[in-house]
Amino acid sequence: MNIERLQQALLNWYKVHKRDLPWRKTTDPYLIWLSEIILQQTRVSQGLPYYLKFSTQFPNVHALANAPQEEVLKAWEGLGYYSRARNLHAAAKEVSHNRDGNFPSSYQGLLELKGVGDYTAAAVASFAYREGVAVVDGNVFRVLSRLFGDATPVNTTQGKKVFKGYAQKLLNKGQPDLHNQAMMELGALQCTPTKPNCRQCPVKDYCSAYAQSAVAQYPVKERKKYNRVRHFFYVYPQYQKQVAVSKRRDNIWKGLFEFPLLEFEEPKEVQEVLESKDFLDLGLRAFQLDTPVKLRAHKLSHQTLHITILPIHFEDKPAAFSHCQWIAKASLKDLAFPRPLRQFLNEKQLNLPFD
DNA sequence: AAACCGGGGAT
DNA sequence: ATCCCAGGTTT
């Protein structure tokens, strides 16, 4: 294979077909890093509005570092993988307070920032500094597995090593920034998971899988099937114009707000929940239960949540929920909630505009 | 090495 | 219903 010809064909294709994306118009490591964290495991169409919001609300690393975590999580609300937001904030503090606002100037240095792994370090280093390190994201795994006809499962330790090696060997050392972006763009637009457009592919003449009419067989993945089912019953405690909320401390949705939660591994009827020890242990007095609201199943990549809301009104200011904070309903909109709770709250506001 | 961590869109 | 997305961290 003539690597120089392949590199040139790739760049020529990229210059014609590349999408016009805002993070491609800058070499500011802050903006590039910000875009890369947002785009981890996230499609461009989903991440773009968040990038626009963050780059406006936090125009530089100091603005982000000096914001409260609750403000950062609120801006991240709905995007998922919230550890990204927490690590983003921690890394901003590190750069702002301990590095005088300067991001690490190399791939190796970038790797030390929280939330920055192999892909993101290579992306920032090549885009912002033109360092000669190859990026390997989901797109590049797919392109390389087809190009070399390599059936090593991509989602394994060995796969990461093998395909990183291909990527580094293929890298255009003169223009690593454009080359890396071109590889990813090729995977996103041309060498797609299903129905790749091989007919118009700039590198089809070099593609092993194409030569064997076996493009659809790549990439090979080891698939793990694990889907935990959980049943959440949220007590939604209301007293006059106030509600009780708490902040999640661990696991899923860490750092986001929620309501008092009763969780079960097995399905339960509302009546069973009301008679359960966990509910009775809340020690609620003088309350009225409204119609329970069953949300539709919330499917995550690795678990399914069945969520039921139990709205209750207290007649007197309750002594319970000491671990919660009582806040005005009007300020619910300022807090970051998990997606299903945010949808419930927004619909409830529509139904009860004067509540 | 395997599990965990969100949400949305395409098929 | 399943797969995949500009992946990283924890166990």
Short mmCIF file of all heavy atoms in Angstrom, two decimals, chain A residues 93-142:
data_model
loop_
_atom_site.label_atom_id
_atom_site.label_comp_id
_atom_site.label_asym_id
_atom_site.label_seq_id
_atom_site.Cartn_x
_atom_site.Cartn_y
_atom_site.Cartn_z
N LYS A 93 -10.46 23.65 36.80
CA LYS A 93 -9.88 24.21 38.02
C LYS A 93 -8.37 23.99 38.04
O LYS A 93 -7.61 24.87 38.41
CB LYS A 93 -10.51 23.57 39.25
CG LYS A 93 -11.93 24.05 39.54
CD LYS A 93 -12.44 23.36 40.79
CE LYS A 93 -13.81 23.88 41.21
NZ LYS A 93 -14.35 23.13 42.36
N GLU A 94 -7.95 22.78 37.67
CA GLU A 94 -6.52 22.47 37.64
C GLU A 94 -5.78 23.43 36.70
O GLU A 94 -4.75 23.99 37.07
CB GLU A 94 -6.33 21.02 37.19
CG GLU A 94 -4.94 20.65 36.73
CD GLU A 94 -3.94 20.61 37.88
OE1 GLU A 94 -4.37 20.55 39.05
OE2 GLU A 94 -2.72 20.65 37.60
N VAL A 95 -6.30 23.60 35.50
CA VAL A 95 -5.62 24.45 34.52
C VAL A 95 -5.65 25.92 34.95
O VAL A 95 -4.66 26.64 34.83
CB VAL A 95 -6.27 24.29 33.13
CG1 VAL A 95 -5.72 25.31 32.14
CG2 VAL A 95 -6.03 22.87 32.61
N SER A 96 -6.80 26.35 35.47
CA SER A 96 -6.94 27.76 35.84
C SER A 96 -6.12 28.11 37.07
O SER A 96 -5.42 29.12 37.10
CB SER A 96 -8.42 28.08 36.08
OG SER A 96 -8.57 29.39 36.60
N HIS A 97 -6.20 27.25 38.09
CA HIS A 97 -5.60 27.62 39.38
C HIS A 97 -4.14 27.19 39.50
O HIS A 97 -3.36 27.86 40.15
CB HIS A 97 -6.42 27.01 40.52
CG HIS A 97 -7.84 27.48 40.53
ND1 HIS A 97 -8.89 26.72 40.99
CD2 HIS A 97 -8.41 28.65 40.10
CE1 HIS A 97 -10.02 27.40 40.86
NE2 HIS A 97 -9.75 28.57 40.33
N ASN A 98 -3.79 26.06 38.92
CA ASN A 98 -2.44 25.52 39.12
C ASN A 98 -1.53 25.65 37.91
O ASN A 98 -0.34 25.39 38.01
CB ASN A 98 -2.51 24.04 39.53
CG ASN A 98 -3.32 23.85 40.78
OD1 ASN A 98 -3.46 24.78 41.58
ND2 ASN A 98 -3.84 22.66 40.97
N ARG A 99 -2.12 26.02 36.74
CA ARG A 99 -1.29 26.10 35.54
C ARG A 99 -1.41 27.46 34.87
O ARG A 99 -1.12 27.60 33.68
CB ARG A 99 -1.66 24.99 34.57
CG ARG A 99 -1.56 23.57 35.16
CD ARG A 99 -1.88 22.52 34.11
NE ARG A 99 -1.04 22.69 32.94
CZ ARG A 99 0.15 22.11 32.80
NH1 ARG A 99 0.59 21.29 33.72
NH2 ARG A 99 0.87 22.34 31.72
N ASP A 100 -1.89 28.43 35.62
CA ASP A 100 -1.97 29.81 35.11
C ASP A 100 -2.82 29.88 33.83
O ASP A 100 -2.58 30.71 32.96
CB ASP A 100 -0.56 30.36 34.84
CG ASP A 100 -0.57 31.87 34.74
OD1 ASP A 100 -1.47 32.50 35.32
OD2 ASP A 100 0.32 32.42 34.05
N GLY A 101 -3.79 28.98 33.73
CA GLY A 101 -4.69 29.02 32.58
C GLY A 101 -4.16 28.34 31.33
O GLY A 101 -4.83 28.34 30.30
N ASN A 102 -2.98 27.75 31.42
CA ASN A 102 -2.39 27.10 30.25
C ASN A 102 -2.63 25.59 30.27
O ASN A 102 -2.27 24.91 31.23
CB ASN A 102 -0.89 27.37 30.20
CG ASN A 102 -0.59 28.85 30.07
OD1 ASN A 102 -1.21 29.55 29.26
ND2 ASN A 102 0.34 29.34 30.87
N PHE A 103 -3.19 25.06 29.20
CA PHE A 103 -3.36 23.62 29.10
C PHE A 103 -2.01 22.96 28.90
O PHE A 103 -1.09 23.59 28.36
CB PHE A 103 -4.29 23.28 27.93
CG PHE A 103 -5.73 23.34 28.30
CD1 PHE A 103 -6.39 24.56 28.38
CD2 PHE A 103 -6.45 22.19 28.60
CE1 PHE A 103 -7.71 24.62 28.74
CE2 PHE A 103 -7.77 22.25 28.96
CZ PHE A 103 -8.42 23.48 29.04
N PRO A 104 -1.86 21.70 29.33
CA PRO A 104 -0.62 20.97 29.05
C PRO A 104 -0.33 21.03 27.55
O PRO A 104 -1.25 21.00 26.73
CB PRO A 104 -0.95 19.54 29.49
CG PRO A 104 -2.00 19.70 30.54
CD PRO A 104 -2.80 20.89 30.12
N SER A 105 0.95 21.13 27.21
CA SER A 105 1.32 21.44 25.82
C SER A 105 1.65 20.20 25.00
O SER A 105 2.19 20.31 23.92
CB SER A 105 2.51 22.40 25.82
OG SER A 105 3.59 21.81 26.53
N SER A 106 1.34 19.01 25.55
CA SER A 106 1.65 17.80 24.80
C SER A 106 0.62 16.71 25.09
O SER A 106 -0.13 16.80 26.08
CB SER A 106 3.04 17.27 25.19
OG SER A 106 3.00 16.78 26.53
N TYR A 107 0.61 15.70 24.24
CA TYR A 107 -0.25 14.52 24.42
C TYR A 107 -0.05 13.92 25.80
O TYR A 107 -1.01 13.67 26.53
CB TYR A 107 0.08 13.52 23.31
CG TYR A 107 -0.45 12.12 23.54
CD1 TYR A 107 -1.77 11.80 23.25
CD2 TYR A 107 0.39 11.12 24.03
CE1 TYR A 107 -2.24 10.52 23.44
CE2 TYR A 107 -0.07 9.84 24.22
CZ TYR A 107 -1.39 9.54 23.93
OH TYR A 107 -1.85 8.27 24.13
N GLN A 108 1.22 13.72 26.18
CA GLN A 108 1.51 13.10 27.47
C GLN A 108 0.98 13.95 28.63
O GLN A 108 0.43 13.43 29.59
CB GLN A 108 3.02 12.88 27.63
CG GLN A 108 3.55 11.67 26.88
CD GLN A 108 2.95 10.35 27.35
OE1 GLN A 108 2.51 10.23 28.49
NE2 GLN A 108 2.89 9.36 26.46
N GLY A 109 1.16 15.26 28.54
CA GLY A 109 0.69 16.14 29.60
C GLY A 109 -0.82 16.18 29.68
O GLY A 109 -1.41 16.17 30.76
N LEU A 110 -1.46 16.21 28.53
CA LEU A 110 -2.93 16.27 28.49
C LEU A 110 -3.56 15.05 29.14
O LEU A 110 -4.62 15.13 29.76
CB LEU A 110 -3.40 16.40 27.03
CG LEU A 110 -3.15 17.77 26.39
CD1 LEU A 110 -3.21 17.68 24.87
CD2 LEU A 110 -4.18 18.79 26.90
N LEU A 111 -2.88 13.89 29.00
CA LEU A 111 -3.40 12.64 29.55
C LEU A 111 -3.61 12.72 31.06
O LEU A 111 -4.40 11.95 31.62
CB LEU A 111 -2.42 11.49 29.25
CG LEU A 111 -2.59 10.75 27.93
CD1 LEU A 111 -1.52 9.69 27.80
CD2 LEU A 111 -3.98 10.13 27.83
N GLU A 112 -2.91 13.64 31.72
CA GLU A 112 -3.01 13.72 33.17
C GLU A 112 -4.26 14.47 33.64
O GLU A 112 -4.60 14.43 34.82
CB GLU A 112 -1.75 14.38 33.73
CG GLU A 112 -0.50 13.53 33.51
CD GLU A 112 0.76 14.20 34.06
OE1 GLU A 112 0.62 15.15 34.84
OE2 GLU A 112 1.87 13.77 33.68
N LEU A 113 -4.92 15.16 32.72
CA LEU A 113 -6.14 15.88 33.12
C LEU A 113 -7.28 14.89 33.34
O LEU A 113 -7.41 13.90 32.62
CB LEU A 113 -6.54 16.88 32.03
CG LEU A 113 -5.58 18.04 31.79
CD1 LEU A 113 -6.08 18.88 30.62
CD2 LEU A 113 -5.43 18.88 33.04
N LYS A 114 -8.10 15.17 34.34
CA LYS A 114 -9.26 14.31 34.59
C LYS A 114 -10.20 14.31 33.38
O LYS A 114 -10.47 15.36 32.80
CB LYS A 114 -10.01 14.80 35.82
CG LYS A 114 -9.32 14.44 37.11
CD LYS A 114 -10.26 14.59 38.31
CE LYS A 114 -9.57 14.11 39.57
NZ LYS A 114 -10.43 14.22 40.75
N GLY A 115 -10.66 13.12 33.03
CA GLY A 115 -11.59 12.99 31.93
C GLY A 115 -10.94 12.96 30.56
O GLY A 115 -11.64 12.87 29.56
N VAL A 116 -9.61 13.06 30.52
CA VAL A 116 -8.89 13.02 29.25
C VAL A 116 -8.17 11.68 29.13
O VAL A 116 -7.25 11.41 29.90
CB VAL A 116 -7.88 14.17 29.13
CG1 VAL A 116 -7.05 14.04 27.86
CG2 VAL A 116 -8.60 15.51 29.16
N GLY A 117 -8.59 10.87 28.19
CA GLY A 117 -7.96 9.60 27.93
C GLY A 117 -7.17 9.65 26.64
O GLY A 117 -6.85 10.73 26.13
N ASP A 118 -6.88 8.48 26.09
CA ASP A 118 -6.02 8.40 24.92
C ASP A 118 -6.60 9.18 23.74
O ASP A 118 -5.90 9.95 23.09
CB ASP A 118 -5.80 6.94 24.53
CG ASP A 118 -4.89 6.81 23.34
OD1 ASP A 118 -3.68 7.05 23.50
OD2 ASP A 118 -5.40 6.51 22.24
N TYR A 119 -7.88 8.97 23.46
CA TYR A 119 -8.46 9.65 22.31
C TYR A 119 -8.41 11.17 22.46
O TYR A 119 -7.95 11.90 21.57
CB TYR A 119 -9.92 9.21 22.06
CG TYR A 119 -10.58 10.21 21.15
CD1 TYR A 119 -10.31 10.20 19.79
CD2 TYR A 119 -11.36 11.24 21.67
CE1 TYR A 119 -10.82 11.17 18.96
CE2 TYR A 119 -11.87 12.22 20.85
CZ TYR A 119 -11.61 12.17 19.49
OH TYR A 119 -12.10 13.15 18.68
N THR A 120 -8.92 11.67 23.59
CA THR A 120 -9.05 13.12 23.77
C THR A 120 -7.68 13.80 23.81
O THR A 120 -7.51 14.89 23.24
CB THR A 120 -9.86 13.42 25.04
OG1 THR A 120 -11.11 12.75 24.95
CG2 THR A 120 -10.09 14.91 25.21
N ALA A 121 -6.71 13.16 24.45
CA ALA A 121 -5.36 13.74 24.48
C ALA A 121 -4.80 13.85 23.07
O ALA A 121 -4.21 14.88 22.71
CB ALA A 121 -4.45 12.88 25.36
N ALA A 122 -5.00 12.81 22.26
CA ALA A 122 -4.49 12.84 20.89
C ALA A 122 -5.23 13.89 20.06
O ALA A 122 -4.64 14.58 19.22
CB ALA A 122 -4.63 11.46 20.25
N ALA A 123 -6.54 14.02 20.29
CA ALA A 123 -7.33 14.99 19.53
C ALA A 123 -6.87 16.40 19.83
O ALA A 123 -6.60 17.19 18.92
CB ALA A 123 -8.82 14.81 19.84
N VAL A 124 -6.78 16.75 21.12
CA VAL A 124 -6.39 18.12 21.48
C VAL A 124 -4.96 18.39 21.03
O VAL A 124 -4.66 19.46 20.46
CB VAL A 124 -6.54 18.35 22.99
CG1 VAL A 124 -6.03 19.72 23.38
CG2 VAL A 124 -8.01 18.19 23.42
N ALA A 125 -4.07 17.43 21.24
CA ALA A 125 -2.66 17.65 20.88
C ALA A 125 -2.49 17.84 19.37
O ALA A 125 -1.71 18.69 18.93
CB ALA A 125 -1.81 16.47 21.35
N SER A 126 -3.24 17.07 18.59
CA SER A 126 -3.07 17.21 17.14
C SER A 126 -3.81 18.42 16.59
O SER A 126 -3.28 19.13 15.73
CB SER A 126 -3.54 15.93 16.44
OG SER A 126 -4.94 15.73 16.63
N PHE A 127 -5.01 18.71 17.12
CA PHE A 127 -5.78 19.84 16.58
C PHE A 127 -5.21 21.18 17.04
O PHE A 127 -5.17 22.14 16.27
CB PHE A 127 -7.25 19.74 17.01
CG PHE A 127 -7.94 18.48 16.57
CD1 PHE A 127 -9.13 18.09 17.17
CD2 PHE A 127 -7.42 17.69 15.56
CE1 PHE A 127 -9.78 16.93 16.77
CE2 PHE A 127 -8.05 16.52 15.16
CZ PHE A 127 -9.23 16.14 15.78
N ALA A 128 -4.83 21.26 18.31
CA ALA A 128 -4.39 22.56 18.85
C ALA A 128 -2.89 22.78 18.63
O ALA A 128 -2.47 23.91 18.41
CB ALA A 128 -4.72 22.64 20.33
N TYR A 129 -2.10 21.70 18.71
CA TYR A 129 -0.63 21.87 18.65
C TYR A 129 -0.01 21.21 17.42
O TYR A 129 1.21 21.28 17.26
CB TYR A 129 0.01 21.27 19.92
CG TYR A 129 -0.63 21.68 21.22
CD1 TYR A 129 -0.86 20.75 22.24
CD2 TYR A 129 -1.02 23.01 21.45
CE1 TYR A 129 -1.44 21.11 23.44
CE2 TYR A 129 -1.60 23.38 22.65
CZ TYR A 129 -1.81 22.43 23.65
OH TYR A 129 -2.39 22.79 24.82
N ARG A 130 -0.81 20.54 16.64
CA ARG A 130 -0.31 19.80 15.46
C ARG A 130 0.74 18.77 15.87
O ARG A 130 1.69 18.50 15.11
CB ARG A 130 0.25 20.75 14.40
CG ARG A 130 -0.75 21.83 14.00
CD ARG A 130 -0.29 22.57 12.76
NE ARG A 130 -0.62 21.83 11.54
CZ ARG A 130 -0.23 22.20 10.33
NH1 ARG A 130 0.52 23.25 10.17
NH2 ARG A 130 -0.59 21.50 9.27
N GLU A 131 0.56 18.17 17.05
CA GLU A 131 1.46 17.09 17.47
C GLU A 131 1.10 15.83 16.68
O GLU A 131 -0.06 15.55 16.41
CB GLU A 131 1.33 16.85 18.97
CG GLU A 131 2.33 15.84 19.52
CD GLU A 131 2.25 15.72 21.05
OE1 GLU A 131 1.78 16.67 21.71
OE2 GLU A 131 2.67 14.66 21.57
N GLY A 132 2.13 15.04 16.36
CA GLY A 132 1.93 13.88 15.50
C GLY A 132 1.44 12.64 16.22
O GLY A 132 2.13 11.62 16.25
N VAL A 133 0.26 12.73 16.80
CA VAL A 133 -0.33 11.57 17.46
C VAL A 133 -1.69 11.27 16.81
O VAL A 133 -2.49 12.17 16.57
CB VAL A 133 -0.52 11.82 18.98
CG1 VAL A 133 0.80 11.68 19.69
CG2 VAL A 133 -1.14 13.18 19.24
N ALA A 134 -1.93 10.00 16.55
CA ALA A 134 -3.13 9.59 15.83
C ALA A 134 -4.30 9.43 16.79
O ALA A 134 -4.15 8.91 17.89
CB ALA A 134 -2.88 8.29 15.08
N VAL A 135 -5.48 9.85 16.37
CA VAL A 135 -6.69 9.63 17.16
C VAL A 135 -7.35 8.32 16.71
O VAL A 135 -7.31 7.96 15.54
CB VAL A 135 -7.71 10.78 16.99
CG1 VAL A 135 -7.12 12.09 17.44
CG2 VAL A 135 -8.21 10.87 15.55
N VAL A 136 -7.92 7.62 17.68
CA VAL A 136 -8.70 6.42 17.36
C VAL A 136 -10.02 6.49 18.11
O VAL A 136 -10.07 6.22 19.31
CB VAL A 136 -7.95 5.13 17.73
CG1 VAL A 136 -8.76 3.92 17.27
CG2 VAL A 136 -6.56 5.11 17.12
N ASP A 137 -11.05 6.90 17.44
CA ASP A 137 -12.39 6.91 18.03
C ASP A 137 -13.23 5.81 17.35
O ASP A 137 -12.70 5.00 16.60
CB ASP A 137 -13.04 8.29 17.87
CG ASP A 137 -13.45 8.55 16.43
OD1 ASP A 137 -12.86 7.93 15.52
OD2 ASP A 137 -14.37 9.36 16.21
N GLY A 138 -14.50 5.79 17.63
CA GLY A 138 -15.36 4.75 17.06
C GLY A 138 -15.34 4.75 15.54
O GLY A 138 -15.37 3.69 14.91
N ASN A 139 -15.26 5.94 14.95
CA ASN A 139 -15.20 6.03 13.49
C ASN A 139 -13.91 5.44 12.96
O ASN A 139 -13.92 4.69 11.98
CB ASN A 139 -15.29 7.51 13.07
CG ASN A 139 -16.65 8.09 13.32
OD1 ASN A 139 -17.67 7.52 12.93
ND2 ASN A 139 -16.69 9.23 13.99
N VAL A 140 -12.80 5.78 13.61
CA VAL A 140 -11.50 5.34 13.12
C VAL A 140 -11.35 3.82 13.28
O VAL A 140 -10.79 3.16 12.40
CB VAL A 140 -10.37 6.10 13.84
CG1 VAL A 140 -9.01 5.59 13.39
CG2 VAL A 140 -10.50 7.60 13.58
N PHE A 141 -11.85 3.27 14.38
CA PHE A 141 -11.86 1.81 14.54
C PHE A 141 -12.51 1.15 13.33
O PHE A 141 -12.02 0.17 12.78
CB PHE A 141 -12.62 1.41 15.81
CG PHE A 141 -11.80 1.41 17.06
CD1 PHE A 141 -12.15 2.24 18.12
CD2 PHE A 141 -10.69 0.58 17.19
CE1 PHE A 141 -11.40 2.23 19.30
CE2 PHE A 141 -9.95 0.57 18.37
CZ PHE A 141 -10.30 1.40 19.42
N ARG A 142 -13.64 1.70 12.94
CA ARG A 142 -14.38 1.10 11.83
C ARG A 142 -13.64 1.23 10.51
O ARG A 142 -13.51 0.27 9.75
CB ARG A 142 -15.77 1.75 11.74
CG ARG A 142 -16.69 1.10 10.71
CD ARG A 142 -18.10 1.62 10.83
NE ARG A 142 -18.19 3.07 10.72
CZ ARG A 142 -18.39 3.90 11.74
NH1 ARG A 142 -18.56 3.42 12.94
NH2 ARG A 142 -18.45 5.20 11.55
#
